[in-house]
Amino acid sequence: MKPPVLPVLLGISLCGLSGALIYVYLKKRDSGPKKAINGTKRQKSVEEAKKLPENASVEVIVRNDVVPLIVGREGASLKSIEEKTKTKIDFREKDDCNQMCTIRGQTAAVKDAQKIIKQLASRPVTVTEEILVPQSACGKIIGRCGEALQEICRKSQAKVSVESGDRGDGSKRMVMISGTQAQVNTAKVLIEEKVREDAEARKQLEESQAKREPRLNHRAGSSNSSNSSQTSPRGEVVVPPKAEKLRSTNPDGQMEVYVSAIASPSRFWVQMVGPQSTELDHLVSTMTEYYDQKSNRELHKIREPYLGQIVAAMFKWDNKWYRAEVVAILPNEFNDGKVVLDIYFVDYGDSAYMDPSDVFQLRTDFLTLRFQAIECFLANVRPASIDNSTEWETRSVERFEELTHVAQWRKLLSRVVSYREKNPTLSPERRQQMREGSPIPGVELFDTTESGQDINIASELVAEGLASPIDRFSGLQERTSPSASSASALNGHSTPSSSKNQSTINDNKQFLSAERLYKARVSNGVNGQP
């Protein structure tokens, strides 16, 4: 009989399995406390690690133009950031446009330093740009008394300056603009607008100049305009506009003018070249169209003219109507009991005799534009006479007319170099009443040739023997000679002592106009008028 093998094997297996289970149980029971102890130790290690200082490093890309702002002068700004945040900051080149900024230190400190650097990097950077503008547009950019330039600075918040002098060829001028890029761009746009406005204005001026006809009666009149408020016989107070003044917007003091009327080199009238020239042409055209109509003239008849009255008068040489001032009321030599008006054309400087029935009240809106005629004298010269006479010879005056292209509307360059009193023989009270206190500018005149060469008109007169130069440093010697002092004062070099001798100068001399010359040549007038 065989022994039972299967039951034996099954019993052995169960015993082995039971022992294994007991072993595993006992093993787990012994290792449980150790794991808890190890877990607690690990948790404590993490907490302690958090309490220990941790090193960090951050890299920030910074533009090259911002780096000097962060570093500061001699590294002062960078050192201040490092001391404040307890970090170490280094720069290294990244590419052509940027640098890499590395910040090392504690995590919180690195974050603070990174924040400061980003704030500095976001600040606008000041840039400076230079642009070339046409020389002719500088007056438009600067404006009268710098008003236009100040407006550009105010609108753009940039610093703008126009350099003095040209860039070699005389046609360009440098303009410096400083500020943020946005501010610089805004200023450039505003300057370009001024350049366009100047180009358009010059185009209109050239078109207007081409239509201008020469004034045949270019000899200056006799009397001085008061340009002051006057009271009419009916008690009406009339305040005329102020006369234009020679004001240059260029740093070198030069300005473009037309010579509109001449009495002599010591007394002539100019008009400023600019938008006001076009406005004057438009005014003359409008006045001519208006006063050519008989019905309008009927509305503006003058019953009793008075001194200083601003009127509308026809210039018989071109049959156009102009603004004029009544400067004298004289007896009519050809009609007893009647008077004749001596009128001064306030926009051109010449004069004429007219019958009271030929002048009319000026419409008030025609007074908006300033009077354009500006009285001047040619500086640094006096009449070429051996007896120190203040009278200019006829050939000197005629040559001066040729050189200045009087009333031909040719542009000349002028520069104010001196002044003299207007009507020094009048009392201060009378000058104040007549607004004669404004000094008369002494100017240098230059005619530019096609080759670009400037011809000094005063030097030409001296070179041709038609004028004598005035030595600016001989004033003390001239005081000893009343006649020399008079000549010096006439040309803008008066001194306190020489001013006392001005009674010998007939500064209010009645210069003959072309119409008065015509009167002298004939024995009778036309239509009973001189």
Side-chain angles (χ1 to χ4, degrees):
M1 182 177 176
K2 295 181 179 180
V5 178
L6 184 61
V8 172
L9 293 174
L10 182 60
I12 293 171
S13 299
L14 291 173
C15 291
L17 180 61
S18 300
L21 292 173
I22 292 171
Y23 174 78
V24 171
Y25 169 74
L26 295 174
K27 184 77 174 175
K28 287 184 176 181
R29 189 184 63 178
D30 294 338
S31 61
K34 292 182 180 179
K35 286 184 178 180
I37 293 172
N38 292 336
T40 303
K41 288 182 178 180
R42 282 197 296 271
Q43 186 176 359
K44 289 181 179 180
S45 298
V46 171
E47 292 176 355
E48 290 176 358
K50 288 182 178 180
K51 293 180 181 179
L52 294 175
E54 179 181 355
N55 291 329
S57 177
V58 173
E59 292 184 338
V60 180
I61 298 176
V62 180
R63 299 193 316 271
N64 288 340
D65 55 1
V66 177
V67 172
L69 183 63
I70 298 174
V71 175
R73 179 172 295 181
E74 298 180 356
S77 179
L78 183 63
K79 188 181 295 184
S80 175
I81 297 173
E82 289 179 335
E83 292 176 354
K84 182 178 180 179
T85 59
K86 307 299 182 184
T87 57
K88 179 65 177 177
I89 303 173
D90 297 309
F91 287 92
R92 71 175 188 276
E93 187 175 354
K94 182 179 184 297
D95 51 44
D96 294 339
C97 300
N98 302 287
Q99 291 198 29
M100 186 65 72
C101 175
T102 304
I103 309 172
R104 297 183 180 89
Q106 298 180 18
T107 303
V110 168
K111 289 181 178 179
D112 291 341
Q114 183 181 12
K115 183 179 179 180
I116 294 173
I117 290 177
K118 286 185 175 180
Q119 287 177 347
L120 292 174
S122 63
R123 288 174 59 180
V125 180
T126 300
V127 297
T128 300
E129 293 189 13
E130 299 178 349
I131 60 173
L132 287 173
V133 299
Q135 173 85 16
S136 59
C138 289
K140 192 74 173 178
I141 295 171
I142 298 173
R144 178 169 291 182
C145 301
E147 293 177 356
L149 189 62
Q150 293 174 7
E151 183 72 6
I152 292 174
C153 294
R154 185 185 65 79
K155 289 183 176 180
S156 65
Q157 297 298 311
K159 182 179 179 181
V160 183
S161 61
V162 180
E163 287 188 351
S164 59
D166 54 62
R167 286 288 162 174
D169 59 354
S171 61
K172 297 290 184 180
R173 187 77 68 86
M174 183 67 73
V175 178
M176 305 283 292
I177 311 173
S178 298
T180 65
Q181 192 61 56
Q183 292 171 346
V184 169
N185 292 340
T186 302
K188 288 167 69 175
V189 170
L190 295 174
I191 292 172
E192 289 170 359
E193 289 179 359
K194 294 294 183 182
V195 172
R196 284 195 299 271
E197 290 176 6
D198 178 75
E200 293 174 359
R202 289 189 172 274
K203 183 179 179 181
Q204 293 177 359
L205 182 60
E206 290 175 359
E207 294 174 352
S208 175
Q209 183 181 355
K211 298 177 182 177
R212 269 197 174 192
E213 299 177 356
R215 284 174 68 91
L216 299 178
N217 181 26
H218 53 256
R219 285 293 181 90
S222 59
S223 302
N224 293 304
S225 170
S226 63
N227 289 342
S228 59
S229 59
Q230 301 288 338
T231 303
S232 68
R234 290 179 293 180
E236 300 172 344
V237 178
V238 180
V239 182
K242 295 181 180 180
E244 191 64 74
K245 293 184 179 181
L246 285 177
R247 289 192 180 124
S248 175
T249 56
N250 292 328
D252 55 10
Q254 285 191 347
M255 64 203 93
E256 291 182 326
V257 298
Y258 299 128
V259 176
S260 58
I262 285 177
S264 72
S266 294
R267 193 177 186 218
F268 60 93
W269 281 258
V270 301
Q271 294 177 353
M272 293 282 290
V273 176
Q276 59 268 43
S277 302
T278 305
E279 293 177 20
L280 177 59
D281 293 339
H282 178 70
L283 174 65
V284 171
S285 176
T286 305
M287 286 182 60
T288 301
E289 181 180 355
Y290 182 79
Y291 286 101
D292 272 347
Q293 299 182 25
K294 185 177 180 180
S295 58
N296 292 332
R297 294 198 299 272
E298 292 291 333
L299 293 174
H300 298 279
K301 276 189 174 181
I302 297 177
R303 295 183 178 179
E304 187 178 351
Y306 56 91
L307 289 178
Q309 185 175 12
I310 306 300
V311 298
M314 177 186 284
F315 192 63
K316 75 173 188 177
W317 303 91
D318 59 10
N319 294 326
K320 293 182 180 179
W321 290 83
Y322 299 91
R323 301 186 297 183
E325 179 181 357
V326 177
V327 294
I329 302 176
L330 307 171
N332 193 326
E333 299 176 8
F334 305 98
N335 195 342
D336 294 338
K338 299 292 184 179
V339 297
V340 64
L341 303 181
D342 187 1
I343 64 168
Y344 163 77
F345 291 97
V346 294
D347 295 308
Y348 295 86
D350 43 15
S351 295
Y353 286 133
M354 300 196 74
D355 190 272
S357 62
D358 292 332
V359 298
F360 299 89
Q361 294 174 345
L362 189 68
R363 218 171 66 185
T364 54
D365 58 312
F366 292 148
L367 284 170
T368 305
L369 182 66
R370 284 173 173 253
F371 296 153
Q372 296 300 301
I374 306 170
E375 184 179 350
C376 303
F377 66 92
L378 192 62
N380 304 327
V381 293
R382 62 187 177 191
S385 59
I386 58 176
D387 59 351
N388 290 323
S389 172
T390 59
E391 300 289 337
W392 288 87
E393 296 181 359
T394 303
R395 61 192 184 101
S396 299
V397 177
E398 291 176 349
R399 181 58 176 153
F400 183 59
E401 292 174 354
E402 294 174 3
L403 292 171
T404 58
H405 308 276
V406 58
Q408 301 298 312
W409 316 125
R410 180 185 176 95
K411 296 178 186 177
L412 301 179
L413 291 178
S414 69
R415 180 171 56 236
V416 178
V417 296
S418 60
Y419 290 90
R420 77 168 184 216
E421 281 189 356
K422 192 172 186 179
N423 288 342
T425 56
L426 295 178
S427 65
E429 293 78 9
R430 179 56 180 158
R431 285 204 301 270
Q432 185 175 5
Q433 291 174 359
M434 297 183 65
R435 294 189 183 178
E436 298 284 44
S438 299
I440 300 174
V443 299
E444 295 177 338
L445 291 177
F446 301 88
D447 186 13
T448 303
T449 62
E450 294 181 357
S451 60
Q453 181 182 3
D454 291 339
I455 298 175
N456 189 318
I457 293 177
S459 299
E460 286 292 310
L461 291 176
V462 172
E464 296 176 14
L466 301 175
S468 298
I470 292 179
D471 185 359
R472 295 187 181 185
F473 302 100
S474 63
L476 293 176
Q477 298 175 358
E478 290 184 351
R479 290 183 195 176
T480 60
S481 172
S483 58
S485 299
S486 300
S488 177
L490 184 62
N491 288 274
H493 300 279
S494 60
T495 61
S497 59
S498 64
S499 297
K500 297 177 182 179
N501 298 320
Q502 292 303 313
S503 59
T504 62
I505 304 174
N506 186 10
D507 193 55
N508 296 320
K509 175 176 175 55
Q510 302 292 310
F511 293 102
L512 291 177
S513 65
E515 191 167 26
R516 293 175 187 175
L517 290 174
Y518 176 77
K519 172 192 169 186
R521 293 192 184 103
V522 296
S523 59
N524 55 358
V526 179
N527 295 330
Q529 299 179 28

